[in-house]
Amino acid sequence: MLTVKTIAGARAAVARLRVERHCIGLVPTMGALHEGHLSLVRAAKAACDAVVATIFVNPTQFAPGEDFSTYPRRFEADCALLEAEGVDVVFAPEAAEMYPAGASTIVEVEEISDRLDGLSRPGHPRGVATVVAKLFNIVQPDKAFFGQKDAAQVAVLRHMVRDQNYNLELVVCPTVRETDGLAMSSRNHYLSADERRSALVLSRTLRHIEARIAAGVVESAPLIDAGLAVLAEEPEIRLDYLRIVDPETLEDVADVSAGALVAVAAAVGPARLIDNVLIPPR
Ligand code: PAF
């Protein structure tokens, strides 16, 4: 596995891969890798001839006061995991390489960026779109792999790929969970044992809503009420949102018959956690 830190190095490494490999897969990450990330790498390995992973804690997607400085950084351990999965190239730039002095171009996906996480984290979707656009331009992958856990990110990036005519397939992989249901996240490391127990209310809420839908409830309002009742079992969590939306536009839907995304976000102790389930059309 080759590790490169510069854009020129990444381009040269990809050019060498291109000589013999037809399909190049990109797995963008911020490191602190867990099984969720590794599932993306495995999907990329299965679907592509070569895999480029990136490790970059992107400063532009963190607002002032968020956890940029404390975000877990485990470069050596991450590289060992990626090497064991058979990744071909790791691109791990410094911030100055990605955003040299004077860099002033941003990628803004309008409207959709103001929904779900974008409402409480304004600037976050823009930071994600900007860095992912840069990674797409540097690596020029045939397929790029993202986790369904960040459903708002997926919706924003789908719009960006479509609107900007990126010549690649965006592949979205299912959320990977701990055995007790907690969605895997690098931010789970922030949780104390008690907070971790409280955090389980997020997946419990989603399962409860799924069960209500299976029992025949299709209107969003009673489904949200049912979910809020479960969330109230853990008063120490600070709910950001529980919404039922169209997975493509992130706009609220009145019922789930045509398919929907049930998404929840809450702060638990020092961690802001997100989770969601996709409800298939009836
Ligand atoms: O999902 C993440 O880890 C990040 O938002 C991403 C896509 C790597 C961009 O920094």
Side-chain angles (χ1 to χ4, degrees), residues 19-40:
V19 174
E20 290 184 354
R21 324 260 188 118
H22 302 297
C23 177
I24 295 192
L26 173 68
V27 182
T29 83
M30 298 207 299
L33 302 181
H34 50 65
E35 277 297 316
H37 298 109
L38 299 184
S39 75
L40 304 182

Side-chain angles (χ1 to χ4, degrees), residues 28-30 37 56 58 61 124 128 131-132 146 150 153 157:
T29 83
M30 298 207 299
H37 298 109
F56 178 59
N58 173 36
Q61 67 188 76
H124 171 73
V128 170
V131 78
V132 171
F146 297 88
D150 200 334
Q153 169 169 285
L157 294 178

Side-chain angles (χ1 to χ4, degrees), residues 118-137:
L119 257 186
S120 41
R121 300 185 72 195
H124 171 73
R126 177 200 306 142
V128 170
T130 301
V131 78
V132 171
K134 287 168 75 70
L135 294 174
F136 285 174
N137 290 328

Side-chain angles (χ1 to χ4, degrees), residues 209-253:
I209 292 177
E210 279 185 305
R212 300 303 303 138
I213 294 169
V217 182
V218 292
E219 298 83 11
S220 298
L223 292 169
I224 297 270
D225 286 346
L228 290 175
V230 178
L231 286 162
E233 291 166 10
E234 295 289 350
E236 57 287 345
I237 73 153
R238 291 153 351 256
L239 181 64
D240 180 350
Y241 63 74
L242 172 64
R243 299 187 95 105
I244 302 185
V245 300
D246 178 306
E248 297 297 321
T249 66
L250 306 183
E251 284 180 301
D252 289 335
V253 292

Side-chain angles (χ1 to χ4, degrees), residues 52-75:
V52 178
T54 67
I55 299 176
F56 178 59
V57 185
N58 173 36
T60 65
Q61 67 188 76
F62 293 80
E66 288 189 347
D67 56 344
F68 174 68
S69 59
T70 53
Y71 197 85
R73 287 160 171 87
R74 310 200 170 127
F75 185 65

Side-chain angles (χ1 to χ4, degrees), residues 158-236:
R158 272 197 212 287
H159 277 247
M160 183 185 85
V161 166
R162 188 198 61 196
D163 296 348
Q164 292 299 306
N165 310 101
Y166 278 102
N167 189 18
L168 57 83
E169 182 189 348
L170 206 140
V171 182
V172 181
C173 300
T175 300
V176 178
R177 297 179 181 281
E178 306 284 356
T179 46
D180 57 10
L182 185 66
M184 289 200 184
S185 165
S186 304
R187 292 189 166 97
N188 290 348
H189 294 290
Y190 300 155
L191 301 171
S192 68
D194 282 348
E195 289 161 352
R196 198 191 171 292
R197 257 191 303 280
S198 298
L200 289 175
V201 76
L202 301 191
S203 53
R204 202 158 69 236
T205 299
L206 297 174
R207 281 203 308 274
H208 184 68
I209 292 177
E210 279 185 305
R212 300 303 303 138
I213 294 169
V217 182
V218 292
E219 298 83 11
S220 298
L223 292 169
I224 297 270
D225 286 346
L228 290 175
V230 178
L231 286 162
E233 291 166 10
E234 295 289 350
E236 57 287 345

